Amino acid sequence: MSNVAKELVQKKCSHIESSVEPLSDAQVEALLKGLAGWQRDGKKIIKEYKFKNHYQAQAFTNAVMWLSHREDHHPSITVGYNTCQVDTGRIP
């Protein structure tokens, strides 16, 4: 696990006040360099996970849903037969 990933795992999601400046493009790019497989797609940050079958893709989706509900931060999730794409939503 990269240092960036280790740091992010230790953090908790929180509601951001409108007065807080969003991350700059340079900050986003620096974070993405430390997160394997994550990429910027226009105004979104996404990653596609691949699995052996639909059951494993669905189990992963359920785990992401449980964690995101607990953190009160809800990504978009697209599930295919053996894939799952996680989309963090719009970034500035």
Side-chain angles (χ1 to χ4, degrees), residues 5-78:
K6 287 177 186 176
E7 288 178 28
L8 291 174
V9 165
Q10 299 302 316
K11 294 184 177 193
K12 294 288 183 188
C13 289
S14 62
H15 294 284
I16 298 174
E17 299 298 323
S18 59
S19 61
V20 174
E21 289 293 319
L23 296 176
S24 68
D25 287 340
Q27 290 171 308
V28 170
E29 293 306 319
L31 287 169
L32 288 176
K33 285 181 183 175
L35 299 172
W38 286 92
Q39 59 188 342
R40 190 172 194 162
D41 181 19
K43 294 286 188 181
K44 298 176 180 183
I45 297 174
I46 63 170
K47 181 171 181 176
E48 183 169 284
Y49 295 88
K50 296 186 185 268
F51 302 94
K52 289 182 181 179
N53 55 46
H54 187 69
Y55 176 79
Q56 288 181 353
Q58 189 63 52
F60 175 81
T61 301
N62 289 339
V64 170
M65 291 170 57
W66 182 81
L67 288 168
S68 64
H69 177 72
R70 191 179 72 181
E71 290 290 321
D72 196 22
H73 182 82
H74 306 95
S76 295
I77 303 170
T78 304

